[in-house]
């Protein structure tokens, strides 16, 4: 307020001084002009420029506005040759005009002061309003944040998702260690010799791929107390990693290869860090390693310290979760004492999660993928209720949901698994007075839709072509190792530690289209067993070699299209569960997969090789 009064006083003082100065100047110049005119009359020279002409009021007023110096105004005005009385009359009129002019000037300066006051008032108003606005928002937001934080910590969330008839399929994606069991792997006996196996795994349980709410309240540590064998193995594994430097740092670095700087355990056993393998995930891979060891360790003659550097080949993508998953599985599969077997292995990096090697770049694949995404988007648009559910639930699940997260059911499903698989409460969020919570029925509705969508994906032609092109490099690699196992009896194990897409592409390449393989769960395993029929003599022919595909313990060999009409090899085995039961298994000749790769693989693209299939858009 003090600054306003000072400004008012300053403006008033300035205007008064200006008006008084202008009046003095004008009066002095008028007096000088009158003296000049009287002098002209006295000498009788009225025709001189100074004494002739008449005073024009309009000119005087106009000149006074345009030219502030009134002396030059009178120089431009001519007096007429009439008498001095005429001049005095005109001069009287000019004085009236001068008073009008002075009044206009005074009003002009008064208006300027008024404008000054208005601008100053508006500026002060905006300043004060802005201060109140931002201070108010900060106080309100901080208060609201405190209320929400306290509210969340005190008030209960909706109940945790419980296993029942409706939610059983949902928990399948979690794949807890207790559900990872031995089934048909390695159970074939008789007149067969197992030459080698190719193992493809998806990494174990991980943290979410985006920032989600209340992640600090989720306990991602695994409880292995119900599985004593796994509990002991986990403690041994932790001790092994903590003391690995006591064996040989050089050997450990050689084993990890390009991943030698990666930590093998979470910094905190309960951590749920973004995209990182959890303690539960480590337990899943240790359990998977136990199963593979029971099935193949002795059949492949891996004991008695007989493993060489050519027997085990390991690939992993450059993600911590895939590297850590591979190491956990290998420890459970191979190690019995110290660091003897792992020291003979060197892990190798794959630049692509498709393990495509040199056959990765493919413009046509991207074209098919875009078509597939558009078709999936159209599916979602045809279910507006589901789209609305995803949009609302995303606001409650993600801290800062973006457009992609709010329109993708699988992204939301993946985030929800963080809560579901670790027994955490489903999230809530407060919007002013409204509280939005993700409820059990929301989760079941979402997973029902994604299950329906996966069935559409299994039949989607664009998705099939995309998968074929993406998996070609991997299938070439598989066939190459099969031929080496046949000819050299090595390697005995080839391990690919990858992602869900890795298994999806491989299933597509083999022609296995199943909704369960469209969304493989954590720690899924995909095993290709290579067998040799024991001949009566030492001579082997190509028809003596067969393979079998086992996915999560289930035999999928006869679901492969190019194996159905082949000269398969049939063998029976005993399923030793609670009740012993004999089952039949049919092996597929290795000749068929070689023929499929070289002759028939690019048939859907009307091409004969990878290059043509990737550039021939006409038939896409």
């Amino acid at each position: 307020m003090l600054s306003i009064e000072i400004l008012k006083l300053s403006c008033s003082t300035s205007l008064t001084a200006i008006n008084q100065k202008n009046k003095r100047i004008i009066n002095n110049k008028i007096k000088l002009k009158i003296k000049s005119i009287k002098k002209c009359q006295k000498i009788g020279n009225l025709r001189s420029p100074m004494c002739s002409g008449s005073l024009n009021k309009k000119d005087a007023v106009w000149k006074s506005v345009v030219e502030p110096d009134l002396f030059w105004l009178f120089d431009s005005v001519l007096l007429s040759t009439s008498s001095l009385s005429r001049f005095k009359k005109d001069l009287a009129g000019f004085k009236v005009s001068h008073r009008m002019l002075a009044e206009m000037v005074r009003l002009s300066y008064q208006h300027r002061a008024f404008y000054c006051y208005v601008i100053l008032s508006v500026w002060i108003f905006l300043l004060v309003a802005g201060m109140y606005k931002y201070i108010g928002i900060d106080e309100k937001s901080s208060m609201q944040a405190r209320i929400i934080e306290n509210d969340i910590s005190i008030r209960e969330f909706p109940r945790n998702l419980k296993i029942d008839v409706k939610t059983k399929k949902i928990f399948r994606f979690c794949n807890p260690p207790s559900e990872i069991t031995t089934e048909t792997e390695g159970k074939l006996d008789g007149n067969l010799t197992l030459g080698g196996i190719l193992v493809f795994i998806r990494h174990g349980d991980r943290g979410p791929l985006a920032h989600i709410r209340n992640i600090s309240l989720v306990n991602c540590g695994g409880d292995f107390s119900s599985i004593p064998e796994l509990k002991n193995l986990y403690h041994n594994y932790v001790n092994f990693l903590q003391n690995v430097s006591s064996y040989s740092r050089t050997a450990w670095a050689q084993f990890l290869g390009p991943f030698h700087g990666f930590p093998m355990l979470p910094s905190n056993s309960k951590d749920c860090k973004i995209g990182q393998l959890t303690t539960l995930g480590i337990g899943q891979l240790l359990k998977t390693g136990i199963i593979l060891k029971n099935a193949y360790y002795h059949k492949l003659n891996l004991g008695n310290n007989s493993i060489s550097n050519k027997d085990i080949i390991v690939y992993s993508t450059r993600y911590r979760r895939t590297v850590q998953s591979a190491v956990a599985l290998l420890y459970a599969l191979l190690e019995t004492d110290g660091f003897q077997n792992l020291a003979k292995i060197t892990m190798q990096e794959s630049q692509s999660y498709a393990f495509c090697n040199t056959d990765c770049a493919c413009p046509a694949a991207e074209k098919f993928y875009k078509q597939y995404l558009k078709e999936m988007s159209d599916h979602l648009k045809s279910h507006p209720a589901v789209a609305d559910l995803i949009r609302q639930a995303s606001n409650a699940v993600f801290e800062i949901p973006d457009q992609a997260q709010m329109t993708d059911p699988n992204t939301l499903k993946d985030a929800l698994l963080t809560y579901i698989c670790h027994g955490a409460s489903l999230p809530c969020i407060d919007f002013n007075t409204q509280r939005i919570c993700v409820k059990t029925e929301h989760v079941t509705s979402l997973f029902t839709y994604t299950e329906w969508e996966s069935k559409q994906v299994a039949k989607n032609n664009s998705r099939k072509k995309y998968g074929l092109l993406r998996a070609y490099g991997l299938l070439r690699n598989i066939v190459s190792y099969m031929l080496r196992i046949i000819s050299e009896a090595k390697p005995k194990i080839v391990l690919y530690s990858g992602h869900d897409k890795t298994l999806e592409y491989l299933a597509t390449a083999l022609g296995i289209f199943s909704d369960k393989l469209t969304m493989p769960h954590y720690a899924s395993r995909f095993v290709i067993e290579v067998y040799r029929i024991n001949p009566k003599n030492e001579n082997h022919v190509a028809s003596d070699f067969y393979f079998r595909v086992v996915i999560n313990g289930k035999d999928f060999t006869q679901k492969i299209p190019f194996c159905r009409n082949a000269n398969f090899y049939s063998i029976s085995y005993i399923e030793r569960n609670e009740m012993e039961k004999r089952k039949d298994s049919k092996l597929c000749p290795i000749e068929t997969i070689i023929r499929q790769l070289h002759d028939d693989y690019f048939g859907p693209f009307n091409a004969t090789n990878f290059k043509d299939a990737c550039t021939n858009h006409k038939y896409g």
Side-chain angles (χ1 to χ4, degrees):
M1 295 302 294
L2 180 61
S3 61
I4 296 174
E5 294 300 328
I6 292 172
L7 184 60
K8 285 182 179 180
L9 181 60
S10 176
C11 289
S12 300
T13 305
S14 299
L15 290 176
T16 303
I18 291 170
N19 287 335
Q20 290 177 353
K21 183 178 180 181
N22 286 339
K23 286 180 180 180
R24 286 197 302 271
I25 292 172
I26 292 170
N27 290 333
N28 290 336
K29 291 183 178 181
I30 290 174
K31 289 178 181 179
L32 289 173
K33 196 66 176 177
I34 292 172
K35 287 181 180 180
S36 299
I37 293 172
K38 286 182 178 180
K39 188 175 181 180
C40 289
Q41 285 183 327
K42 187 178 290 186
I43 63 176
N45 189 12
L46 295 175
R47 292 187 177 274
S48 66
M50 183 178 292
C51 301
S52 62
S54 61
L55 183 65
N56 190 310
K57 295 180 184 179
K58 293 182 179 180
D59 290 342
V61 173
W62 181 81
K63 283 288 185 178
S64 67
V65 174
V66 176
E67 299 182 23
D69 192 345
L70 291 180
F71 180 78
W72 299 110
L73 166 67
F74 279 94
D75 277 350
S76 64
V77 177
L78 298 177
L79 294 175
S80 65
T81 56
S82 60
S83 63
L84 181 61
S85 60
R86 174 73 179 272
F87 169 74
K88 289 182 177 180
K89 183 178 179 180
D90 289 340
L91 185 60
F94 170 74
K95 288 183 177 180
V96 173
S97 299
H98 169 257
R99 285 196 296 272
M100 293 175 60
L101 174 62
E103 186 68 18
M104 290 173 61
V105 172
R106 185 179 65 80
L107 290 174
S108 175
Y109 280 106
Q110 285 180 346
H111 290 166
R112 186 176 299 177
F114 174 74
Y115 297 150
C116 182
Y117 297 150
V118 170
I119 293 172
L120 180 63
S121 301
V122 171
W123 180 79
I124 293 174
F125 172 77
L126 293 176
L127 178 63
V128 174
M131 290 174 61
Y132 275 108
K133 177 182 177 182
Y134 288 106
I135 292 173
I137 287 177
D138 289 342
E139 290 178 351
K140 182 178 179 181
S141 59
S142 61
M143 180 66 71
Q144 190 177 35
R146 288 195 297 270
I147 291 173
I148 292 174
E149 184 177 353
N150 294 335
D151 207 22
I152 287 176
S153 61
I154 296 173
R155 291 166 57 181
E156 289 186 354
F157 285 114
R159 290 184 178 181
N160 301 1
L161 205 67
K162 302 297 183 182
I163 298 180
D164 55 28
V165 176
K166 292 183 179 180
T167 62
K168 187 176 181 180
K169 290 184 178 180
I170 296 175
F171 282 94
R172 176 180 70 85
F173 293 100
C174 300
N175 196 27
S178 58
E179 298 293 324
I180 302 175
T181 57
T182 302
E183 295 196 39
T184 66
E185 288 108 327
K187 290 189 176 181
L188 301 186
D189 293 313
N191 193 33
L192 291 173
T193 298
L194 180 65
I197 59 173
L198 294 95
V199 182
F200 308 83
I201 61 169
R202 184 192 178 189
H203 58 77
D205 177 80
R206 55 157 168 75
L209 295 179
H211 292 280
I212 62 174
R213 300 184 190 278
N214 309 320
I215 187 64
S216 60
L217 302 178
V218 180
N219 180 3
C220 286
D223 181 11
F224 310 132
S225 57
S226 61
I227 313 173
E229 182 184 15
L230 178 59
K231 181 180 179 181
N232 293 333
L233 181 62
Y234 173 74
H235 287 302
N236 292 338
Y237 180 60
V238 172
N239 292 332
F240 165 75
L241 293 175
Q242 291 174 345
N243 300 315
V244 70
S245 59
S246 63
Y247 299 108
S248 172
R249 288 192 176 184
T250 303
W252 179 249
Q254 180 180 343
F255 163 63
L256 292 179
F259 314 114
H260 61 85
F262 285 18
M264 291 296 111
L265 292 172
S267 56
N268 186 313
S269 62
K270 297 182 179 181
D271 276 352
C272 247
K273 292 186 177 180
I274 292 181
Q276 302 301 315
L277 194 71
T278 64
T279 302
L280 176 61
I282 292 174
Q284 290 171 330
L285 270 301
L286 289 173
K287 183 65 181 295
T288 302
I290 293 173
I291 289 175
L292 296 182
K293 183 174 184 176
N294 293 337
Y296 302 116
Y297 189 81
H298 295 294
K299 284 182 175 292
L300 293 173
N301 298 317
L302 298 176
N304 300 322
N305 197 25
S306 61
I307 296 176
S308 69
N309 59 355
K310 294 183 179 180
D311 286 329
I312 313 293
I313 296 176
V314 182
Y315 295 98
S316 174
T317 60
R318 194 172 179 80
Y319 290 88
R320 285 187 182 182
R321 56 183 179 270
T322 56
V323 175
Q324 293 166 350
S325 296
V327 173
L329 184 144
L330 290 171
Y331 175 82
L333 172 61
L334 300 176
E335 280 306 333
T336 55
D337 183 23
F339 188 49
Q340 296 179 359
N341 291 330
L342 293 183
K344 300 173 183 177
I345 302 170
T346 298
M347 297 182 66
Q348 302 178 51
E349 178 185 349
S350 171
Q351 298 293 332
S352 167
Y353 55 77
F355 296 91
C356 49
N357 297 313
T358 58
D359 301 305
C360 294
C362 185
E366 298 305 320
K367 173 190 172 185
F368 292 128
Y369 185 63
K370 290 179 180 178
Q371 291 176 353
Y372 157 72
L373 290 180
K374 183 181 182 303
E375 291 168 15
M376 293 302 102
S377 177
D378 292 340
H379 284 319
L380 185 60
K381 289 178 182 178
S382 65
H383 295 77
V386 176
D388 187 58
L389 167 64
I390 294 170
R391 187 164 48 253
Q392 291 188 25
S394 295
N395 285 321
V397 172
F398 298 105
E399 287 188 350
I400 308 176
D402 56 30
Q403 185 63 26
Q405 292 169 342
M406 297 180 71
T407 56
D408 186 359
N410 291 297
T411 300
L412 178 60
K413 183 194 77 171
D414 182 85
L416 286 172
L417 286 176
T418 303
Y419 304 101
I420 296 168
C421 296
H422 301 100
S425 300
L426 297 173
C428 289
I429 184 174
D430 285 12
F431 287 114
N432 295 325
T433 58
Q434 185 180 8
R435 187 173 177 85
I436 299 176
C437 294
V438 178
K439 299 180 181 179
T440 301
E441 53 266 29
H442 298 155
V443 177
T444 55
S445 297
L446 175 68
F447 276 74
T448 299
Y449 175 79
T450 56
E451 182 181 7
W452 172 84
E453 186 184 58
S454 67
K455 294 178 181 179
Q456 311 310 309
V457 171
K459 299 181 290 185
N460 187 278
N461 193 45
S462 297
R463 178 65 178 77
K464 175 184 176 182
K465 291 181 177 180
Y466 172 70
L468 285 172
L469 294 175
R470 279 282 172 253
Y472 174 69
L474 176 58
L475 192 62
R476 279 188 62 190
N477 205 242
I478 291 171
V479 171
S480 174
Y481 278 120
M482 282 182 165
L483 295 176
R484 285 178 58 183
I485 292 172
I486 291 173
S487 60
E488 304 172 18
K490 291 182 180 181
K492 295 181 178 180
I493 297 176
V494 183
L495 173 64
Y496 297 83
S497 183
H499 308 261
D500 52 354
K501 298 299 181 185
T502 307
L503 304 188
E504 288 180 30
Y505 298 157
L506 178 57
T508 302
L510 295 176
I512 303 173
F513 299 103
S514 169
D515 57 301
K516 292 183 179 179
L517 295 177
T518 304
M519 298 185 295
H521 51 61
Y522 291 128
S524 290
R525 61 191 190 275
F526 194 122
V527 182
I528 299 177
E529 303 170 343
V530 179
Y531 288 95
R532 181 185 75 244
I533 297 177
N534 298 326
K536 295 180 180 180
N537 52 50
E538 293 297 325
N539 297 324
H540 294 285
V541 294
S543 58
D544 290 339
F545 296 92
Y546 294 82
F547 73 95
R548 185 172 74 133
V549 174
V550 182
I551 304 174
N552 293 320
K554 307 292 184 183
D555 190 341
F556 274 77
T557 310
Q558 286 305 302
K559 294 185 180 295
I560 300 174
F562 56 81
C563 288
R564 290 172 187 164
N565 299 322
N567 295 322
F568 56 83
Y569 183 84
S570 183
I571 190 171
S572 61
Y573 65 95
I574 297 176
E575 183 73 42
R576 292 182 174 86
N577 292 328
E578 295 179 358
M579 296 179 60
E580 291 190 358
K581 185 178 180 181
R582 181 168 291 276
K583 290 188 175 182
D584 293 329
S585 182
K586 296 178 179 179
L587 306 184
C588 185
I590 287 183
E591 292 176 329
T592 59
I593 192 171
I594 297 173
R595 188 182 306 113
Q596 169 69 13
L597 180 66
H598 291 289
D599 299 340
D600 304 326
Y601 194 81
F602 298 106
F605 308 97
N606 197 25
T608 57
N609 57 69
F610 182 71
K611 181 179 179 180
D612 290 345
C614 286
T615 56
N616 192 354
H617 291 263
K618 180 179 179 181
Y619 300 99

